[in-house]
Amino acid sequence: MTDEKRCPACGKPTAGYVPCPHCGADPEARTTIKFALYLCLIVLAFGAVFFAMHLSTIEPQPIAIASIDRWLDYSYVWLEGVVSSGPQYGSTSITFDIYDGSGGTIKESSTRVEIYDPAFKQLISENRVPRVGDNVKLFGQLRVYLDGSTEIRVSTSGDLHLTRAQQVETTIGELRTSWGTEQSLMFKRVSLEGTITDVKPLGSAKIYTLEDNGVDLQMYVHNGLEAYQKKSLNLNVLQRIRVNAGVSQYRGQPQLAIADNDEISVLGTLPALEVPLENINSTMRDNFVRVGGKIVFVELEGERGSLTITNRYIWLDNRYTPRIWLEEDVYKLLRDNEKKLLKRGSEIELVGRVRSYAAGVGGVRIEFLGPQTPSLQAGTYEPPLVENFAAITNDNQGDLVKVIGTITNLENVPKVALPSDRKFTLQDNYGGTIKIYVPNFLFERMINPPVVGSKVQIIGKVTMDSGALAIRPGVVDDVRVVS
Amino acid sequence: METLVYLLYGMLGVIIGSLLSILPGLHPLNFAGIGIFLYLAFPMDPLGMALIFAGMLIAYAIVGTITTTFMGSPDDSTMYMAFPNQKYLMYGRGYEASVATGIGSMGSVVLLLMLAPFASTIFPIFRKLLTPHFHWVLIGVTVYILQSEWPKDWGSRAKTRFGRLKDGWASLSAGWVTFFLAMMLGFIVLNVPITPIDKAFQNIMPVFVGFFAVPWVLTNMASRVNIPPQTVSNTFYISKKDLARGTTSGFLGGMFAAYQPIVTAGIGGVLAGHSTSTQGDVQFMISGSAGRFAYYVGAFFLFWVPLLHLTRGGMAWITGVIYQPRTDSEFWLLMAAIAVAAVFAFMLLVFLSRVVAKVIAGFSFKKISIAVLIGIILLVFWFSGLEGLVILTIATGLGLVPPMFRTRRLNLILGFFFPIFLNMAGLGAGISRFLGVY
């Protein structure tokens, strides 16, 4: 370089120095704008390739449910699978489960789907609520909980792609047989007939039992369904129905899952045997019978370990006829006026099923079946009054009696972690006494419980308690404080 | 093929982002806020809007260097390269510096595009491996940044051992003091709502502007120099080795910062620079621009990586409110849009740098700085109200400490975000309660 040389970068004279003493530019180290242009072309080439990849992967790629781990909590993913249970209708959402077969077990391959308002109401209005057996592909936010359970939340109805399942005509027997072998009907939609023989009300649903040719199958109807249906279900025991539903799985057993009331159509009602109550015995086991009579006593039974009432026995006509056994959950299905009338003195006619029961009269009891609307007429009945308690002897065990007297003593019978049962000593006008045994689930329901000195009227059955005769009331109303 | 229109959305974002980038003091966090306004004002296809956001970020990373180079208004990510860029400006090589930083960004684009096909495989692994260790990695990064500051030459060597020890620790101590003061400000601003509720999403904007932009502008005002005539040439005196080295180093630092919460491009740049022995002004400029692109666009890119489920950066968080990437296809569309938008932004950078370089000669740096300062104050007031101006003043005071005591400005950002590191380690609430700001 010479003195005249100027720096090509800053334009100042360099006096031959390299790099430039003013700006540090080294003329040997050169890059032109062409290099930048080549870089741009490379970038655009990448862009073209990626755009082609974009076009070739338009279809969403669902992930396997079994591959979901805690790192995917709150992430947005596509899932695809067959609806395996539900839908369960809530006030702000519907939920159902999907299964994709990606894991070793059903649990590993399943996840819960929750669709919130307004998406789920839109699905209802579009008749696109997924049903067991349908195939769904959906996009939503995953939740992975500490216990390992997973859930995907779908926020718009457009994020759910639904393919309705084809229906398979079958019978309960075929379904049961296939379930025992290859489970080919699991998570499929079926159409079959059955007779309603029972209902088991749960907190969130009713489980109906359908029978056909001696084989039974459960049918799950979620309580929330009613709120979103135009047609209400009015099912009764012994109705023959056709059901178009999905087959889900509960505790290893098949269960029909109802997504819409229109999936059930009533074909007719089977008659029950009309047999006088006193003629019913163990030879009629499992038969459906229509029985009637006057209620002479209602006896509640409580649950061990709580104050919950589990069922009630209804005595018809007298102590020598088989008793009606009514599960409390079924009792709760009755209308309010029916519940009020289901008491001592009323006339009742109902459909029941004869079941073996060793402790029952004749070795049987009659199960009150739900759902049904029993015929009830108001009436009165009181057992004979026993004025002199000394007249109650061991021979009277099992008899219904009415006694009036004054409470002279109150004894607590401790129950672990629960209020005590109460044992009153009741004295008649002749100085005789008898024990009145009031279980805690009755006593705790009394608004004005009797105290020592109270004059009370008790209706109950004569029983033995700790080797002594006692009278045990059946319901709260059987204990009445006279003064 | 109708999805080709989405590439135009990306380019539209570049135009909007370029207009915003020219305004000194604006940060992508403000862009995110502006993005909300845009979406509310013009409801549209969320995917299209997300790609506009991507374009805005790309413009900020590429076109935004014009502000750093010609107006001297850096932020936390450009602070790292502001000094060499302005040195080039004073040599009359501002255009060259601007385009060279653009080339660095384009190098970063290439590396990001090359990474894309492997992203959904490697990033989920990183995530599982690294997430449990974030808190101590961050604290380690902080200690490294604070302690790795090289003692400054104060002009004469002290005669006594104590004097030399004192000199050795002078910058380090100033760094620690800066860090501590910024941490106190962080505890307050991050825990106590100071800005009006309707502007709460911009509460840290005044802090960033006060830490970086205002002190730099004030320093420029004090410099009393005029900008010399600028050379506009198609030849740049920059070696390809410097380009390659700077780009690689910057990309590594930027992606580390994009991936690791709280770490910014500046911090990532220092770490990557140290680990790859980055040297010289050119490499610093290139690595700074590459890191800035990798940091802002890389963080947004992570949001789209299939099955990664990672939201990093203000723009990704805002985008997440209106849009969630749904398919692999959309990820590839984003990559195509990034490619097209980056090329478009680079072209704009070249064009605008040429225009600015031609008109800026003879301008008083002081006058430009005053105009910039007024612009910054107005923007801060608009975004965060009077309370924001108060925070800006305090942050500016802190931001002046590093240039006065010759320590790293990065200590400001480390200190400010240190309360978040402590939160990650489960200690933040206790300390905040002790300080009475919880």
Side-chain angles (χ1 to χ4, degrees):
Chain A
M1 284 190 183
T2 65
D3 283 356
E4 290 75 38
K5 285 282 184 186
R6 287 185 172 274
C7 170
C10 66
K12 291 179 180 169
T14 62
Y17 289 102
V18 175
C20 169
H22 304 287
C23 71
D26 179 358
E28 298 297 318
R30 292 200 318 165
T31 301
T32 66
I33 195 77
K34 274 188 184 171
F35 176 78
L37 291 176
Y38 292 144
L39 214 51
C40 288
L41 288 176
I42 292 171
V43 169
L44 287 176
F46 267 111
V49 170
F50 288 143
F51 192 76
M53 289 170 79
H54 151 69
L55 292 177
S56 65
T57 55
I58 291 277
E59 193 61 27
Q61 303 294 314
I63 65 164
I65 292 172
S67 72
I68 296 171
D69 60 19
R70 69 187 176 90
W71 293 95
L72 288 174
D73 195 15
Y74 289 108
S75 62
Y76 285 83
V77 296
W78 282 94
L79 294 180
E80 183 172 15
V82 62
V83 178
S84 58
S85 81
Q88 296 180 322
Y89 291 77
S91 57
T92 58
S93 67
I94 51 168
T95 57
F96 54 90
D97 291 351
I98 58 170
Y99 165 85
D100 72 352
S102 57
T105 63
I106 290 176
K107 192 180 175 190
E108 285 173 5
S109 312
S110 301
T111 188
R112 173 138 294 206
V113 180
E114 185 139 23
I115 303 177
Y116 289 97
D117 195 16
F120 93 89
K121 284 184 180 157
Q122 199 172 346
L123 288 176
I124 290 171
S125 66
E126 294 167 356
N127 194 24
R128 288 205 304 130
V129 173
R131 303 174 303 199
V132 169
D134 291 343
N135 191 278
V136 292
K137 187 186 268 191
L138 42 86
F139 178 77
Q141 187 179 40
L142 268 182
R143 288 305 323 275
V144 183
Y145 298 106
L146 288 176
D147 64 359
S149 63
T150 59
E151 181 180 281
I152 184 167
R153 296 171 176 176
V154 179
S155 53
T156 66
S157 64
D159 287 340
L160 185 141
H161 303 174
L162 178 71
T163 308
R164 289 289 188 204
Q166 295 294 316
Q167 204 158 274
V168 180
E169 181 71 33
T170 187
T171 64
I172 293 175
E174 283 176 2
L175 198 159
R176 278 289 191 186
T177 306
S178 77
W179 196 267
T181 54
E182 78 277 26
Q183 297 192 331
S184 59
L185 291 174
M186 185 164 69
F187 309 147
K188 296 281 193 305
R189 283 197 72 75
V190 296
S191 178
L192 51 76
E193 286 184 18
T195 303
I196 298 171
T197 57
D198 198 8
V199 66
K200 174 92 178 161
L202 306 176
S204 60
K206 293 185 188 70
I207 309 287
Y208 291 89
T209 302
L210 301 185
E211 286 188 26
D212 185 46
N213 289 327
V215 189
D216 66 2
L217 180 66
Q218 288 189 334
M219 179 174 80
Y220 179 95
V221 182
H222 189 252
N223 287 343
L225 185 63
E226 204 67 30
Y228 299 98
Q229 300 290 304
K230 290 173 192 157
K231 169 187 159 187
S232 68
L233 274 184
N234 191 17
L235 299 179
N236 276 305
V237 69
L238 292 185
Q239 276 177 338
R240 185 78 180 165
I241 59 172
R242 171 159 286 278
V243 185
N244 304 317
V247 181
S248 66
Q249 186 256 167
Y250 182 70
R251 292 187 175 173
Q253 294 300 311
Q255 194 175 64
L256 296 176
I258 301 297
D260 193 305
N261 286 352
D262 287 336
E263 293 173 354
I264 299 171
S265 49
V266 178
L267 305 175
T269 303
L270 298 184
L273 292 172
E274 298 206 20
V275 189
L277 203 52
E278 58 272 19
N279 291 347
I280 292 174
N281 55 45
S282 57
T283 62
M284 300 177 69
R285 197 179 59 195
D286 292 337
N287 278 299
F288 295 97
V289 291
R290 179 173 293 279
V291 294
K294 182 182 270 297
I295 299 174
V296 294
F297 192 55
V298 177
E299 187 181 8
L300 299 181
E301 281 194 343
E303 186 181 66
R304 270 180 195 276
S306 80
L307 296 174
T308 307
I309 294 168
T310 55
N311 51 269
R312 55 189 70 204
Y313 279 103
I314 301 167
W315 299 27
L316 294 185
D317 294 341
N318 56 58
R319 58 169 284 198
Y320 302 106
T321 56
R323 277 151 211 173
I324 312 297
W325 185 78
L326 172 56
E327 209 172 345
E328 197 63 11
D329 288 336
V330 176
Y331 170 80
K332 286 175 184 166
L333 289 177
L334 298 175
R335 297 187 188 94
D336 285 346
N337 65 325
E338 291 167 346
K339 288 178 192 166
K340 280 179 191 164
L341 285 172
L342 196 69
K343 64 177 186 180
R344 180 163 34 82
S346 295
E347 293 281 347
I348 186 171
E349 189 176 299
L350 58 98
V351 174
R353 192 168 203 178
V354 182
R355 296 290 195 190
S356 294
Y357 183 59
V361 178
V364 295
R365 67 183 180 189
I366 299 166
E367 283 185 13
F368 182 107
L369 299 173
Q372 67 170 298
T373 306
S375 160
L376 279 157
Q377 280 187 327
T380 56
Y381 172 79
E382 285 191 352
L385 174 67
V386 180
E387 293 182 2
N388 186 349
F389 300 163
I392 301 173
T393 65
N394 284 347
D395 296 339
N396 296 110
Q397 275 188 67
D399 284 354
L400 293 176
V401 294
K402 178 168 92 173
V403 292
I404 296 173
T406 304
I407 295 173
T408 58
N409 187 36
L410 172 60
E411 188 183 333
N412 289 332
V413 182
K415 294 283 178 184
V416 179
L418 285 175
S420 304
D421 289 348
R422 302 300 201 284
K423 206 188 281 186
F424 300 112
T425 302
L426 196 67
Q427 189 174 52
D428 61 19
N429 293 333
Y430 306 99
T433 61
I434 194 163
K435 298 287 184 187
I436 309 294
Y437 194 97
V438 184
N440 55 4
F441 60 86
L442 281 188
F443 186 83
E444 295 301 324
R445 284 177 167 79
M446 290 179 180
I447 296 168
N448 293 311
V451 294
V452 174
S454 298
K455 186 171 185 184
V456 294
Q457 172 193 293
I458 308 287
I459 290 174
K461 70 174 182 184
V462 179
T463 183
M464 290 294 283
D465 175 65
S466 305
L469 285 170
I471 296 171
R472 185 168 177 142
V475 294
V476 171
D477 290 346
D478 288 342
V479 179
R480 189 161 66 86
V481 178
V482 178
S483 63
Chain B
M1 290 300 277
E2 60 268 24
T3 51
L4 263 175
V5 73
Y6 283 111
L7 303 184
L8 297 179
Y9 282 121
M11 292 168 77
L12 177 63
V14 169
I15 293 170
I16 298 169
S18 298
L19 292 172
L20 294 170
S21 300
I22 298 297
L23 298 174
L26 269 189
H27 189 273
L29 284 177
N30 312 122
F31 280 27
I34 292 166
I36 293 179
F37 292 131
L38 275 177
Y39 189 74
L40 292 175
F42 309 104
M44 56 175 290
D45 177 2
L47 174 58
M49 186 51 102
L51 292 175
I52 288 178
F53 290 169
M56 288 166 70
L57 277 181
I58 289 164
Y60 182 79
I62 297 178
V63 185
T65 54
I66 291 176
T67 317
T68 309
T69 306
F70 293 100
M71 298 184 205
S73 167
D75 66 8
D76 59 302
S77 65
T78 51
M79 196 70 239
Y80 188 49
M81 59 189 197
F83 181 68
N85 278 47
Q86 286 200 358
K87 205 158 83 176
Y88 269 60
L89 181 70
M90 289 304 142
Y91 292 148
R93 298 171 67 187
Y95 170 76
E96 191 182 340
S98 190
V99 176
T101 53
I103 293 174
S105 300
M106 291 306 287
S108 199
V109 175
V110 173
L111 292 176
L112 189 69
L113 296 175
M114 287 167 67
L115 180 65
F118 313 102
S120 62
T121 306
I122 59 174
F123 278 109
I125 297 171
F126 282 163
R127 184 168 179 237
K128 289 175 186 176
L129 283 175
L130 297 178
T131 302
H133 308 290
F134 272 167
H135 59 287
W136 68 259
V137 169
L138 288 169
I139 290 172
V141 164
T142 306
V143 173
Y144 179 79
I145 294 285
L146 286 170
Q147 286 301 106
S148 66
E149 189 142 32
W150 195 252
K152 302 297 183 297
D153 180 3
W154 295 91
S156 63
R157 183 175 162 82
K159 289 176 183 168
T160 62
R161 283 185 179 177
F162 178 74
R164 289 194 290 275
L165 182 68
K166 197 177 120 191
D167 284 353
W169 274 88
S171 298
L172 280 174
S173 305
W176 278 96
V177 169
T178 307
F179 169 82
F180 180 77
L181 292 174
M183 183 176 72
M184 288 296 120
L185 184 65
F187 270 116
I188 296 167
V189 173
L190 298 174
N191 285 300
V192 181
I194 296 173
T195 51
I197 193 95
D198 58 327
K199 293 170 177 172
F201 63 99
Q202 300 286 11
N203 68 332
I204 61 173
M205 178 227 191
V207 176
F208 276 63
V209 175
F211 278 170
F212 301 104
V214 178
W216 194 268
V217 171
L218 291 176
T219 314
N220 288 342
M221 284 165 67
S223 66
R224 297 168 182 270
V225 294
N226 286 336
I227 297 172
Q230 301 293 307
T231 305
V232 176
S233 162
N234 285 334
T235 304
F236 315 112
Y237 296 93
I238 292 167
S239 74
K240 294 194 175 59
K241 181 188 162 196
D242 283 347
L243 276 173
R245 193 157 182 166
T247 300
T248 314
S249 155
F251 182 76
L252 279 175
M255 283 311 290
F256 174 72
Y259 186 81
Q260 183 79 12
I262 313 301
V263 172
T264 63
I267 299 169
V270 168
L271 295 174
H274 284 197
S275 56
T276 59
S277 296
T278 306
Q279 295 167 342
D281 289 344
V282 173
Q283 285 188 20
F284 271 99
M285 274 195 315
I286 303 295
S287 78
S289 60
R292 178 176 154 99
F293 184 90
Y295 173 58
Y296 288 119
V297 182
F300 196 66
F301 153 91
L302 291 175
F303 174 66
W304 296 62
V305 172
L307 297 183
L308 175 59
H309 170 48
L310 197 65
T311 310
R312 293 280 187 263
M315 194 61 104
W317 281 108
I318 291 293
T319 305
V321 175
I322 58 166
Y323 167 78
Q324 286 294 332
R326 304 164 66 90
T327 58
D328 291 8
S329 176
E330 290 176 1
F331 173 66
W332 299 122
L333 181 64
L334 170 81
M335 297 317 298
I338 286 177
V340 172
V343 169
F344 182 54
F346 180 73
M347 298 292 182
L348 271 179
L349 171 75
V350 173
F351 172 72
L352 293 174
S353 299
R354 194 175 278 261
V355 171
V356 174
K358 281 182 179 167
V359 300
I360 205 164
F363 268 61
S364 159
F365 218 69
K366 187 175 179 180
K367 285 178 183 165
I368 292 178
S369 299
I370 290 171
V372 167
L373 184 61
I374 292 170
I376 286 172
I377 290 171
L378 289 175
L379 272 175
V380 170
F381 178 71
W382 186 50
F383 274 113
S384 53
L386 273 177
E387 296 87 343
L389 288 180
V390 173
I391 298 173
L392 174 76
T393 309
I394 295 167
T396 301
L398 289 178
L400 285 169
V401 173
M404 286 171 69
F405 293 93
R406 301 177 69 185
T407 186
R408 280 193 189 123
R409 293 173 198 249
L410 283 180
N411 298 343
L412 291 164
I413 204 155
L414 275 175
F416 183 75
F417 283 132
F418 200 72
I420 300 179
F421 303 176
L422 294 173
N423 283 344
M424 286 177 163
L427 303 169
I431 297 173
S432 299
R433 207 172 287 121
F434 174 74
L435 293 171
V437 291
Y438 187 72

